[in-house]
Amino acid sequence: MIPQAAPARRIARFRAEIDAAVASVLGGDSYILGEAVESFERAFAEEAGAAHCVGVASGTDAIALGLRALGIGPGDEVIVPAMTFVGTAQAVLHCGALPRLVDVDPATRCIDVAAAAAAVGPHTAAIVPVHLFGHPAPMPALMELAGRHGLAVVEDCAQSHGASLDGRPLGGFGHAAAYSFYPTKNLGCVGDGGAVATNDARLAARLRALRNYGFDGPERISRVCGFNSRLDAIQAAILSVLLPHLRAGNAERLEIAARYRAALPAAAGLALPPDHGACVYHQFAITHPERDRLAAHLAAAGIGTAVHYTPGLHRHPVFAEAASGPLPVTDALADTLLSLPIQPEIAAEAPEAVAAALGTFSA
Ligand SMILES: Cc1ncc(COP(=O)(O)O)c(C=O)c1O
């Protein structure tokens, strides 16, 4: 059986180093913040091409705290693509603001700039573009739109660690970038974790206060109402072990993607993901009009798949009021997307196995 994802196999690959890193945290007295978190923050800021990195408890918190630190709150609207994980838009609700869900581009599956422009209204205060499946959202056009209307931009980089666009690291276009270290991410820990990266020192200071009860210095005086949302020291130590392997892991994902492109037959209805050299393939998501029957056929052949994401966010009751209008591209993708195995530790045989199974799939 080839599973769709198996984070334990990545941990097993680097197990000896991870054990030593965890032992070092256990043997110290800084279980909350402290050196393990600070040294990961320094290393991750450098990898992300940002001046500052603030470790937080999850990717959802990273978006919510990033928006709050930029002043987003009640009465504000935030433009979010409807094809993403629910956490992207729930982070907006956590700030007391309202998500405004817009459609995505059928080719890139990322936010449609024209749809975002059409959704700007008097209460719009921010945009949260998502680099879905590791594919870059159209940042230059979005930054131009944001600049015209004075909007804040928090890039959702939960699926794009290490990706770039036109030679510039993703996450460096907006005012802040939010990362998730959920176990299956390109850089993932063994629990929840997240980070916000930014080039703005004042924003970073606000984020450090917000994640830790609003304390803004060693005197531990609380000036604003903050949260308990800190990256765990053990997770930070594990992430420091895995970070130097991120680029090699992304390169392996690119290779597996290229092998899928070479192996998969031009079968009726099958469409491959966009071919962008800088994509880091958090997922290799094909589309097929008979997605569920194809998933069952692949499962019978011993190949695990997953659906990211169905339904579109506007179809979740929690976002019932949030759609900017009909979202036909999101609806069509929600019915047809299917993520094939791409994690390097499990997908070595996957392209040829999927191709063989597709050969016996009767349309
Ligand atoms: C695109 C996207 N945004 C936000 C999140 C939320 O991250 P977390 O699960 O760490 O809260 C995730 C992943 O889980 C995600 O894939």
Side-chain angles (χ1 to χ4, degrees):
M1 178 79 193
I2 302 175
Q4 204 277 331
R9 295 203 198 166
R10 174 165 52 194
I11 297 302
R13 189 171 169 185
F14 303 107
R15 184 62 192 266
E17 273 180 275
I18 287 173
D19 282 352
V22 170
S24 142
V25 173
L26 295 181
D29 275 324
S30 288
Y31 293 166
I32 302 289
L33 298 177
E35 179 49 30
V37 173
E38 285 165 23
S39 76
F40 171 69
E41 287 176 339
R42 284 192 297 272
F44 190 69
E46 196 178 330
E47 168 60 41
H52 309 276
C53 166
V54 181
V56 298
S58 70
T60 305
D61 279 7
I63 302 166
L65 297 184
L67 288 170
R68 263 177 198 269
L70 284 159
I72 308 304
D76 290 333
E77 284 183 7
V78 179
I79 295 173
V80 175
M83 176 46 64
T84 179
F85 179 62
V86 292
T88 311
Q90 289 196 358
V92 175
L93 293 177
H94 288 314
C95 299
L98 293 174
R100 195 99 179 109
L101 300 172
V102 302
D103 219 343
V104 293
D105 179 309
T108 66
R109 292 100 172 246
C110 293
I111 191 166
D112 180 320
V113 180
V120 174
H123 302 292
T124 308
I127 308 177
V128 182
V130 180
H131 305 301
L132 195 72
F133 307 147
H135 186 98
M139 291 314 300
L142 285 170
M143 292 314 293
E144 201 269 318
L145 174 68
R148 236 182 310 135
H149 297 280
L151 310 177
V153 176
V154 175
E155 292 177 62
D156 182 341
C157 295
Q159 305 190 358
S160 64
H161 314 72
S164 59
L165 177 61
D166 303 330
R168 276 177 70 184
L170 291 183
F173 289 84
H175 303 99
Y179 293 85
S180 165
F181 304 124
Y182 183 83
T184 57
K185 300 302 189 211
N186 291 31
L187 179 65
C189 52
V190 301
D192 280 309
V196 190
T198 180
N199 288 316
D200 179 337
R202 288 178 54 204
L203 193 63
R206 279 203 288 278
L207 285 160
R208 286 186 200 287
L210 279 175
R211 74 169 170 184
N212 195 26
Y213 303 106
F215 295 152
D216 73 353
E219 323 82 52
R220 293 166 68 82
I221 301 299
S222 195
R223 292 184 213 285
V224 294
C225 182
F227 298 83
N228 177 346
S229 179
R230 300 165 299 213
L231 176 64
D232 197 86
I234 287 189
Q235 303 302 344
I238 293 170
L239 289 165
S240 287
V241 171
L242 295 176
L243 181 60
H245 304 289
L246 171 65
R247 283 174 188 234
N250 284 346
E252 288 176 275
R253 285 171 187 265
L254 260 169
E255 256 171 53
I256 295 164
R259 285 190 21 235
Y260 269 125
R261 289 184 195 286
L264 294 189
L270 175 73
L272 300 182
D275 192 358
H276 190 295
C279 178
V280 292
Y281 290 101
H282 173 58
Q283 300 295 350
F284 189 88
I286 59 169
T287 56
H288 195 283
E290 292 194 72
R291 187 260 316 280
D292 295 338
R293 204 164 63 79
L294 177 59
H297 179 78
L298 291 174
I303 299 156
T305 59
V307 174
H308 305 104
Y309 293 97
T310 196
L313 293 197
H314 58 299
R315 307 252 171 223
H316 288 263
V318 68
F319 303 123
E321 311 291 311
S324 57
L327 304 173
V329 179
T330 296
D331 280 334
L333 287 171
D335 286 344
T336 55
L337 280 169
L338 187 66
S339 300
L340 303 178
I342 185 102
Q343 184 192 326
E345 291 80 18
I346 54 180
E349 317 294 326
E352 293 71 26
V354 172
L358 271 168
T360 59
F361 181 67
S362 49

